[in-house]
Structure formats: structure tokens, C-alpha cells
Amino acid sequence: MKINFKINGKAVSVDVDADTPLLWVVRDELKLKATKYGCGRAMCGACSLHVDGELTRSCSFPVKFAEGKEVTTLEGLSPNEEELHPVQQAWMEENVPQCGYCQPGFMMAAAKLIKEIDNPSTEDIKANISNICRCGTHPRIIKAIKRAAQIQQSKTSSL
Amino acid sequence: MSSSEKDIKLTSRRNFLQTGLVLLGGSAVLLEFGCAPTQRKVFDFVDSNEAPNMGLNKFDANFWIRILDDNKIELASPKVEMGQGVFTGAALCAAEELNTHPRYISVIHPTTQNGPVDPFGTGGSSSTAGLFEPVRKAAAITRVALEEAAAKIWKTSASNVEAKDGKVVYADKSLSFAEIIKQSKSIKFRKKGPALKTRKDFQYIGTDQPRTDLLQKVMGASIFGIDYELPNMVYGTTVESPYLGGKLKSFDADEALAMKGVLEVQEEDDYLLVVAEKRYVAEMAARKVKAEWTVNKKWTQEDIDAAVQVGKGKFESIQKDGNAAAVFRNKDQGKTLEFEYRTAAAAHAFMEPKGTIARYADGKMYIITGTQQPNRDRVEIAKKLSMKKDDVDVQCAFLGGGFGGRFYINKVIQAARASKKLGRPIHVLSTREQDFINNYYRPSSHHVMKAKIENNQIVAVQHDMATDDMIFDFMPAIMQKLMGADPSSCHGAAFNYSIDSRVTNSWRVDTPYVTGIWRGVGIVATSFAKEVFFDEIAEELGQDPIEMRLAHLKDEKDARHGRLRTVVEKVRDASNWKGKSVAGFGKGFACAMDRETVVAGVAEVTVDNGKIKVTKFTLGIDAGLIVNPEGVRQQCEGCIMMGLSSAIYEELLVKDGKVNHSNYHQYPVAMLSDSPEIEILLLGTGEHVYGVGEPPIAPVAPAIANALYSATGKRFRNTPFRNDLS
Ligand code: FES
Ligand code: FES
């Protein structure tokens, strides 16, 4: 079945089984590999991306529901390496990743969080992000999200 | 279960024996193996020495460091990057001797054919420590070669020129490394390099540097095994026994084969492989295969708990100092304390499931996989598929977590076999469920701890532990004879405190699943049992637990005692140990020596709404010379989080013959909400680099248990602690 949607601003059309999880369409058909497979059951958040601005666990989101929507993956978060999204910039400054596998999912969750809560507390972060990291980057992720919120604020106030 | 039954094969024995003598500290040991004192000697040597830097002494500088045409310096790492930061550590070591900022250096995984790959894999907290000497040496040789070549171009003496940031400079002239190579007929590498810099001259080593892979990981670059694709590649999902020890009896794949996009179903000895054009189709089709399994025995957790018991299995003596037997026998004097402890079996549960891409063409096999043992994978493929080792090439990709869980990748052989049959490249990926169910695990353990107290002094201690093997399955059988006890399972079991009579025994037991290495190996269990026990002894003696530890770290012959004393004192002060206690909150202490690295930690906890909250963890570490402080901090944070996760939540159980955890909902791990405030004290001393990837995990569980006791008045003697909350 043909399904049409936008990915990182570009219109695409894919011809796959309509029940295929968006995760595998993004990775294997559209060749955008940042979005990761971790659990396949909406439990770990490694596959997080945005669908029409909503944080979505793409392993459990059949591609047919993406029809006509805007999908954003980590690759679409910032235009290039020089103009990083506040979350990516903060991730750089806090030297967050270890193995790095869970990080795209965390960054997508963080990007959504600082849109919702512009100055999140540690408690806000702990309560709202339920992704899994096995390497133990948790303390840095919390710091980086706070920093990202500050970067975001300084960017908007300087506009 | 024996190695052959579990289908785990050894790495090349020839390679092992070549360096095996180094591991054992001389051939004298080989001549008199078998009796207990020798076994203890060998065990002790392996247990207390840094993991040997095996297979890394022979090198050709050119092999390690390549100057590319664009003047990028490429360093091939024999150790794999699994998040532990070895690439960054290696870049710093090379930078130092190349006189060139680390940002000019890119580190790569060579394939087993085209670069240096440690034949013994990556683990044992030895990656940065193991590369410290050889990478600096290779870099120094490269620097001298480039300086001499430049001097030749300028017709001056090499002593007049100097390498600096990717160039060689001479008066007002300069040439990039790449230009020097271009302008030189040949570059001569000296066999013996110049003297290496020492600590006082370092400009990069010991400075905080961001990870070399930071930008890639922040941008989501395709660097993991799962991210690769080869032209014409298909996808494979296996159907494997959900039962421990299950053998394939019969199957019906008609429905799967009828699905659009399914190419074939391959039948192997104990599994089936569904091959499809798309990954999702392969996985859906695998679910449609009806397979029947022969199961001789449906194991239960009760069976396993009954097997993992001190007094069962094979007895091995690990430590026998003084006269503990007589001291304990004398019931007229003093008091004997005795407690039992248990740790649960655990899964690695790294975020990237195991997977492998294999391409068989023209008699050659090419493999891409995230593995801690690229060389072993190559050897095993050659053996199982009757190929020549030189016809197999393994490319390691970045690992989505290792933790000891990627020493054996069951997907490697599965993918290799499938590609050979198909004549097409294939990606075989574990589902998360398979990664939990068809895998190997950290074994559970049982400990009986005894202490004899006389005149308010500890006069004898005894530790008996029962657990399954971790590393013997990966070693030649002779090692079992040589060492008696499995050196990984029993790592850290022996007592280090200054006490006259000390006894440690291991009981090697057998569990129905494959058991193996997990971050920290045995020290997770042994330091938990020992350090909670010492907290109990301190209470019995009416002494402060930290002061009691300090009083038993007074062995002048063991330099670690002095170093650990300093770390303990610093952690005590930084954590405000003696500060006022608040009702409902507790502090707990634990420390450990892991080979040459010494660590101590203080946990602060509370129980909130039936949940254990670690509010703060203060960790001090002296791992010798620190190559990259940022990297060490990351490893400490990782150990605190993984140690906390294992202590509070993790438990791998068996039910009705199956591993009872199919996904993270049944195997909870620490989340952001569990993250404590963390303070890390880095106290590196000396000129030697010691391991940091695992030692910091040692004090985590016991410090939390001891803090829980102080918060709740209840002793937590079994992991995971969540089971004992009510
Ligand atoms: S892979 Fe989607 S939540 Fe884990
Ligand atoms: S960085 Fe490895 S799982 Fe999070």
C-alpha cells in the first residue's frame, strides 16, 4: 500500500505493508538510521520521533497512521552540524553519550519536553521521560535537558 | 552445563597458549598444577593483577597510525568502542606523542584482516589501560619517522625540526604530515622508539576532553551494527527454543512461507531462520512458524536456587591464611557471627539487540557486527563453516552497549551460515525478546560469611560462595585445572582486610542456562556479600563502619591499602559521613579493591512510597594515572547507575522451563527517576593506568544495602532489594 507523508520537511511516498511500524519504514525504506530499535513494545523510547509534533514511539506506530502527517527524526532536528538544536548543543556541552544507542530517543523526548515546559526542574524531567539508558548517562541527561532549556530561552529572547 | 552443550567455543587455543604463559606469570606454574596451594597461587595471580595486555606487544607503527591524504590522522584501535570511551583514551595517548591536538585524530575499528585487533577481545576494564603503552609507543615512532623524513626534505638534522599539530616545523618552514609523506620516497620507522613522556610532561593526557565520537552520537550517525546495509541485503529472524535446553522436534512453516516477501525458511540444528526481503516481514513470518520443542526437563527457579547453594557443587579453595579452621572450632572463646547473602542472576539488557550482517561471496565471508570479540567471531566462523581463517573478515561496528554481553554473539554464526546458503548478504537481528530469552547471563550466587570476634577484635573470617562459571567456558580446559575456581565468577571473593586468619572457598555449581561475564564480573556479588557483612561486624563491635575499615587497611606490603585509606577518608569527608542523620534517611558505606584500582562509596537513601530512592552517591576512585578524567567520570556514573539498577531491580528468573522475562516490563532497570545526585572524587596517583570500567560498581550495591539498614533498621541481604521492601 502507498503511504504519503512528510519526513524532516520532505514529502515521501512509501509502498509497504500498512501495518509496518513507522520505525522500520524510517530506518530501512527512508534510510534514516538515527531512530533506533530497542524493545519493539513502546517500553524503552529508543525509537522516539515526532509525528505532527507529538512524541511518538515509532516501533508501535503503524506507518498507515502517518499518512498526511509530518514526521521529524533526530536527523531533522537541526539543519546541520553548525546550527545545532538546543538539545543537541546541550548534549555536546555536557558530553552526554556513552555507547550512544539510546541517545537519539532521549534527545527527541527532550526536544518535546522543553517545548512543553520551558524551564523543567529535575522532577519534571524525571516524571516526564521514561526512556531507558543502560550505560548510565542519566545524570548527564538531566543536566543537559536543563541546559537545553536555557539555550532555548536565550535563543528566543535574542530574537 | 558444559561448554559443548552450550555451544560456546573457545578462542584459538594456540593464541591463548602463546600468551597464556604471560598470564600465568611463568612456566614454573605449569609444571606443578593441580594441587590446591598452586591453584590458589594461580587464582590469586589472575585475580589481583591487571588484565594482561595480551596480544598487543607486537606491532608495526604503520599498522596502527595512518596519515590520510587530507592530513587526518587515523588510529586503528585494537579495542572496541562500546561506550567506555576507549577511542577517546587512545586518541589522547596518540596525541601526546604526536605532539598534536586530539581533535586531529580519528579512531576507527579495523577489520580483523586489515588492522590490529586484540585476539582476546575488549573487557576486564583493560581497554584504555591496555592501549596506554603501545599507542604512545606507536605514536612516538611515527612522530620520529615524520620528523626525520621532514629533516631529510629540508636537508637538516632531525634535532632541528619538531612535530606540532599535524605538521612538522623547521624555523619558518612547515609541512603537514601528509605532505611529508608525499614528498618522501619512503618513510623509515625505527624499531625502537624514543623515550616516552612521563606524567609531568603531559599536555593532553590527564586533561578533560570531549569524546571523539561525541558529534557522531549527537547527530545520530550510522555507526552501530544495526545501521549498516549491504547491497542486495535481506533480513532474517530466527525461531529459537523458548525453553532452556529445548531441541527442535518438528515445525510447520507453511503459513510463514505463504506470506508475501518471505524468501525461505532455513532449518538448522536447533533453530529456524526466516528470510525475507523486509525486516518486518521476517519478524511477522517468524511468529507464524509453529515449532515444537523437545524439553528434557522444565527447569524452575526453585531448582536453580537449590543448586546455587554453598556446600553443593565442586569445592575449590581460594584463600587460606592463618589458622581459621582452628579459630572457628574453638567454641569456648569469642563469638561467631554468621550470615547468608544472595545475588540474583542478571541480563545484560543493553539497548542494541545482538545482530550481525554477513556476506558470503566467492569463498569469502565478510561480517559486520558489534562485538567484544571480533577475532573469536572470525575463528568460530572459520571452524563451524569449514573455512580458512584468512577468508573470514570481521568488521566491528560501534557497540550499543557491551557490559560483557557481547563476548559471544549467537547471531554471528547464524548470519554467516544463512548468507552462505543464500549467496546474498543478510542481516540477522535478535528481537528484544530473544535478547532476553536466548542469551547468556550473570549467574546468581549464594554466600555464607563467618567471622570470629574475640576481645572486640576480628580474629578470623570465612567466605564460602556458590555460583556458576563466568569465564571457564571461554578458556582451554586446562585452565580449570590450573585455577580451580573460575577467576571471573570468584573475582574479589578473597578478603583484603588485614585479619590474621582468612579463608575463602568457592563451590562451582551448574545452572541450566549459559552463564558468563557481566560488568564487574564476580565482584558485584562478592563485594556485596563482604561489604554488607563488614557493616554487620562493625555494628556488632559497636564501631563506626568507616573507621573499622580503615583500621583493617594497614598492610604495609600492599600499596593498595594506603591508596584505599586515602580514598576512604576523602569519601568520608566529602559525604559528610558524620553529619546529623535525618529520620527515614540513611547513609551506607562500602569500599573495594579491584585489581590495582581502589574505590569507596557512600550511598544516601530513603524509602519513599514503597520505593527505594538513592538520593546521593559519593564515589572516590584511585585508578592510577588518569588518561581522560571526563571518561573516568562517565564510567563511574555508568557503574553507579548499573550497580544501583542491579541492586534494587534486576533479577532473572526461570519459570516453567523458560526465562521468565521477555522484555523490559518484566525486567525493570534503573530509569531517569532513579538517578541520584552523584559526586565523584578522582584521586589518580602514580605513572600506571589501571582499570575504571568495572571497579566502581563494586561498592554500589553494598553501600545502598548498608544505607537501607540505617534508614529502615532492616538488613538487605539479597538482591534485588525491591523484593524485601515490605
Ligand atoms: S523500540 Fe520503541 S519504545 Fe523501545
Ligand atoms: S548511552 Fe548506551 S544505552 Fe544510553
Side-chain angles (χ1 to χ4, degrees), chain A residues 96-103 106 132-137 141, chain B residues 82 351 400-401 403:
Chain A
V96 174
Q98 289 187 34
C99 85
Y101 194 81
C102 69
Q103 301 297 334
F106 269 106
I132 297 178
C133 170
R134 191 59 165 151
C135 295
T137 64
I141 285 175
Chain B
M82 48 190 176
M351 294 310 301
F403 317 120

Side-chain angles (χ1 to χ4, degrees), chain A residues 23 36-48 57-60:
Chain A
L23 166 69
K36 294 292 190 265
Y37 167 69
C39 68
R41 296 276 188 278
M43 285 184 277
C44 75
C47 62
S48 300
R57 296 196 163 175
S58 63
C59 67
S60 306

